[in-house]
């Protein structure tokens, strides 16, 4: 009885409303996969990868640039190119404005040139937070111009893809970007250029059905989901239950859709190794 009297009781403390208000917004992050709560600064130090379950958080284009390029420096191409509303689609202009304000970007991709490990490259990174990384006229045009610059300057091309697919508000004009970017990649291949495609979570629709899967080397981040259409649509179509890991990077690796799954902390090192191998092959025209 005395033991029970002096035993420390277990209880939970509920923070007061004032305490909740005193906690700075964005101080903590909760992992969407395992639920682990981490300090935002610690998460950023770990390149936005959960220390508990290795979940790779989505990154925007600027974060990709900072983590990948030497000193995070990019000489940006077509930075003022913006989307119009060619089909006068209801509320499209408003959605574009909101996406610009939210992300600080002009559209869903950033392209330009920089160096990785001292090697000059043409670089592109898509941003899922800008209208789901959708492939519209501006995204297709910026990517095509970047590919043409890689051909002209004889620089390797490195693209980080993430997208929900073609931008429905631009209809056929959006779908045309699949053919345009694919044709540019074909020309790059004919000129002997190197294209390293990096698949990140998620990459679907018109992007995965065009340039994202046309790389000479295709890399994916761990557990990145990619394919043409989502599992729910496929299951409804074939009326079968799909494997739990269906469309993940690891699933696609076993089936030859990607060459390697590379953790974020190793991505830059892997790219430098691949660029070094490209130079060792004796490309006399490398870097112009």
């Amino acid at each position: 009885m005395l033991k029970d009297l002096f035993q420390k009781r277990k209880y939970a403390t509920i923070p007061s409303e004032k305490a909740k208000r005193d906690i700075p917004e964005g101080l903590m992050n909760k992992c969407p996969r395992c639920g682990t709560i981490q300090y935002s600064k610690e998460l950023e130090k770990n390149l936005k990868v959960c220390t508990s379950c290795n979940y790779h958080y989505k990154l925007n284009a600027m974060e990709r640039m900072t983590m990948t390029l030497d000193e995070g420096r990019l000489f940006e191409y077509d930075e003022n190119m913006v989307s119009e509303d060619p089909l006068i689609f209801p509320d499209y202009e408003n959605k574009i404005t909101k996406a610009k304000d939210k992300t600080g970007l002009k559209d869903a991709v950033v392209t330009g040139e920089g160096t990785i490990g001292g090697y000059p490259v043409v670089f592109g990174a898509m941003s899922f937070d800008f209208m789901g990384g959708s492939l519209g006229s501006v995204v297709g045009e910026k990517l095509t111009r970047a590919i043409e610059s890689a051909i002209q300057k004889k620089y390797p091309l490195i693209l980080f893809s993430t997208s929900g697919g073609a931008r429905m508000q631009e209809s056929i004009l959006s779908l045309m970007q699949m053919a345009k970017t694919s044709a540019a990649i074909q020309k790059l291949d004919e000129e002997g250029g190197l294209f390293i495609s990096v698949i990140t979570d998620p990459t679907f629709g018109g992007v995965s059905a065009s340039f994202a899967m046309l790389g000479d080397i295709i890399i994916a981040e761990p557990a990145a989901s990619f394919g043409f259409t989502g599992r729910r649509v496929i299951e409804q179509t074939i009326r079968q239950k799909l494997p739990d890991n269906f469309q993940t990077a690891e699933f696609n690796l076993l089936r030859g859709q990607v060459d390697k799954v590379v953790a974020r902390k190793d991505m830059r090192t892997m790219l430098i190794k691949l660029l070094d191998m490209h130079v060792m092959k004796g490309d006399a025209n490398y870097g112009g």
Side-chain angles (χ1 to χ4, degrees):
M1 182 175 177
L2 290 173
K3 182 180 179 181
D4 293 338
L5 182 62
F6 292 103
Q7 186 176 13
K8 187 176 181 180
R9 297 185 180 181
K10 297 179 180 179
Y11 60 90
T13 301
I14 300 176
S16 66
E17 290 302 317
K18 182 180 183 304
K20 289 180 181 178
R21 290 195 297 269
D22 290 341
I23 299 175
E25 186 177 354
L27 179 66
M28 311 290 285
N29 269 281
K30 182 178 180 181
C31 177
R33 179 191 287 171
C34 70
T36 298
I37 297 176
Q38 303 170 75
Y39 283 106
S40 297
K41 287 186 177 180
E42 292 300 317
L43 188 62
E44 289 177 5
K45 286 181 182 179
N46 203 42
L47 304 180
K48 289 197 172 181
V49 177
C50 178
T51 55
S52 296
C53 70
N54 200 41
Y55 173 76
H56 283 51
Y57 283 70
K58 292 180 179 64
L59 299 180
N60 61 39
M62 306 311 289
E63 289 171 326
R64 290 283 176 196
M65 178 187 75
T66 301
M67 291 181 186
T68 308
L69 297 173
D70 294 345
E71 300 179 354
R73 292 182 179 178
L74 179 76
F75 176 75
E76 190 174 349
Y77 296 158
D78 306 304
E79 58 184 317
N80 294 316
M81 189 181 293
V82 294
S83 293
E84 299 289 341
D85 186 13
L87 304 181
I88 316 178
F89 197 94
D91 204 37
Y92 183 36
E93 288 187 352
N94 184 41
K95 287 184 176 181
I96 287 287
T97 299
K98 286 183 178 179
K100 289 179 181 177
D101 294 340
K102 174 186 174 183
T103 64
L105 302 175
K106 297 293 179 61
D107 216 294
V109 72
V110 173
T111 59
E113 61 184 74
T115 60
I116 301 177
Y119 296 112
V121 298
V122 170
F123 177 87
M126 301 187 72
S127 225
F128 195 80
D129 56 358
F130 193 105
M131 296 189 69
S134 50
L135 174 63
S137 300
V138 166
V139 174
E141 182 65 18
K142 290 182 72 171
L143 287 171
T144 300
R145 293 188 184 191
I147 297 165
E148 290 172 346
S149 291
I151 295 171
Q152 179 184 3
K153 298 189 175 187
K154 301 187 183 300
Y155 288 174
L157 173 71
I158 298 176
L159 296 180
F160 284 78
S161 297
T162 179
S163 177
R167 188 170 298 177
M168 58 171 289
Q169 291 89 346
E170 295 186 18
S171 188
I172 189 64
L173 299 177
S174 177
L175 296 177
M176 288 168 62
Q177 308 311 310
M178 296 170 61
K180 183 165 71 175
T181 54
S182 297
I185 293 293
Q186 174 64 26
K187 187 175 180 181
L188 175 67
D189 182 65
E190 291 172 353
E191 294 292 328
L194 173 67
F195 171 31
I196 301 174
S197 178
V198 185
I199 307 291
T200 70
D201 183 60
T203 300
F204 283 95
V207 171
S208 65
S210 56
F211 61 87
M213 297 303 295
L214 294 177
D216 298 299
I217 301 169
I218 302 176
I219 300 171
E221 285 193 331
S225 57
F226 66 94
F228 180 65
T229 192
R231 69 178 294 136
R232 185 175 63 179
V233 174
I234 297 173
E235 286 182 337
Q236 290 175 347
T237 302
I238 67 175
R239 298 183 181 181
Q240 292 182 27
K241 176 68 176 176
L242 295 169
D244 291 338
N245 67 340
F246 180 68
Q247 291 184 322
T248 63
E250 293 76 11
F251 180 91
N252 284 306
L253 176 66
L254 292 175
R255 285 151 183 82
Q257 296 299 304
V258 296
D259 297 301
K260 195 169 183 63
V261 176
V262 180
R264 188 171 293 164
K265 65 182 178 63
D266 300 321
M267 185 65 71
R268 178 177 151 84
T269 301
M270 174 57 66
L271 292 174
I272 292 173
K273 286 181 179 179
L274 293 173
L275 292 171
D276 190 50
M277 290 171 60
H278 180 59
V279 174
M280 287 175 63
K281 289 176 66 176
D283 187 350
N285 294 320
Y286 179 79

